[in-house]
Amino acid sequence: MYTNLFLAVIKNESLLQNSFFRKLDKFLDVLINKGGYTRVLVGLKNTLIIAILGLVIGVLIGTLIATVRVIPKYKVLPRVLNGICTFYVGFFRGTPMVVQLLLFYYVMLPLMGLNMSGVNVSIIVFGLNSGAYISEVMRSGIQSVDGGQMEAGRAVGLSFSTTMMKIVIPQAVKNILPTLGNEFIALIKETSVVSFVGAADLYVAFNMIGTNSYEFMVPYLAMAIIYIVIVVLITLGIRLMERGLKRSDRRN
Amino acid sequence: MTDATENTKLIDVIDLRKSFGELEVLRGINVTINKGDIVCVIGPSGSGKSTFLRCLNCMEDPTSGHIIFDGTDIADMKVDINIHRRKMGMVFQQFNLFNNKTVIQNIMLAPVHIGLSDLRKAKLKAAFGKGPKPEKTKEQIISEAHDRAIELLTRIGLQDKADVYPSTLSGGQKQRVAIVRALAMNPEVMLFDEPTSALDPEMVGEVLDLMKQLALDGMTMVCVTHEMGFAREVGSRILFIDEGKILEENAPAEFFANPKHPRTREFLSKVL
């Protein structure tokens, strides 16, 4: 009885193995012989471009908003700017990325009479979106820098903005680098929704391979592996960067 | 040289008041600081002496009153305070060296940045035919600032620390670098906000020695301090502040030997 069960298990396993390797063969066939890899490469490129440029735009916008938020608010202009920033952050944190993509692509662009590729739309929306998140991160980073640094900069006659750019923000960035890394990883993963506006990312590439081979198990598995590999590489990169930036903390 | 007092007057503080919300910290300070004066400000904690010092270069904006520095009322919010702060060096209790810059970068940052931005403005003016061509090139400004920084570091014996980050320095070394960082702008007056209060006792001496040197070189100094020995030895005038007012102002010998105000006597009996 046990022998039978054992045989059945082995049989099942081999079945599973057989079917898996068959699927793998199909996948590799489409991937390599039928040019699927070009789509994967394009998808990979778009995913990285959208995430990287999105992060760059996000850091710029986030730094700007965070700076506005920490300016002393005696005067009218900083108060107005602060109000705008609060609304901006509230909007982009209060709606899903997909909704923002759709709004931008199907509402904003037609209203402005513009035409843009899905990738460009995604870059802009990812930048605007991550700018809202990064602004909060950057604000806490700026507030974590000792107030004496700003005072010392002002005391030698540098302006608020110069001290901010040369002294405070570099130290703030160092403090928030791990969090910025998380934001980058989140952006990489969120690129999987850009097909909503017709941008060809990794999901589109592997979905296409799946459709062509009538088989989705291996393509989606491969897609997951690629995402994991990217994220692991980014994590390593951030760790190296952190080590480099820690130089000014080291006592030797 | 008709009126000697007018010529030597550097900072004139007129009815300076400062409130934080409901709390009135400075209640009408009047004092004149002349060129070459070493004014030591003493008083109990919470008396407003640090606030007074920080108002002198508008690190705290005065609530009312005037601070006439080089003929300009810098308490006026319309004045570009950055230009005047360049002529007023400030040294903090907590050193406040720029953590992300090496020692020499700390010293060079302001002279180079300000030199280069002035150069850009001068070039722009010259391009429109509204001014002479700038005398110095970018490279000259940087190399002059570098030479000056090395000279200052050599003066305090830290030339071999030029390329390390502040986190590797001792407290006394940090404070001496902070002092020469302020000197790099060639200020007309140096403001010291309890420069030795955050130091280990054995490092107080090296900082006070440097300050004495500055005093001997004729630098105008305003110094909030708890170092009575320094005030007595180096100071040319002592201000005693309590509850936001100057209660007593005198030459150090007279001040310590014959305190007039009862509050001063009480304070001195506690600290001496």
Side-chain angles (χ1 to χ4, degrees), chain A residues 109-169:
Chain A
L109 286 186
L111 281 181
M112 293 191 295
L114 291 174
N115 216 343
M116 251 187 201
S117 76
V119 173
N120 288 346
V121 168
S122 306
I123 290 172
I124 293 173
V125 171
F126 271 61
L128 293 173
N129 179 290
S130 68
Y133 284 94
I134 291 175
S135 75
E136 290 296 295
V137 175
M138 189 65 87
R139 178 167 70 155
S140 72
I142 289 173
Q143 282 166 346
S144 74
V145 176
D146 177 31
Q149 299 285 310
M150 172 57 81
E151 283 194 348
R154 300 307 307 274
V156 286
L158 301 175
S159 65
F160 176 87
S161 53
T162 307
T163 314
M164 209 66 190
M165 279 190 299
K166 299 220 164 201
I167 305 299
V168 178
I169 289 177

Side-chain angles (χ1 to χ4, degrees), chain B residues 137-156:
Chain B
T137 64
K138 187 179 163 188
E139 289 71 27
Q140 274 174 313
I141 290 173
I142 294 173
S143 80
E144 272 176 26
H146 184 266
D147 293 346
R148 174 91 172 117
I150 292 289
E151 180 197 322
L152 287 165
L153 280 175
T154 311
R155 178 171 173 183
I156 57 172

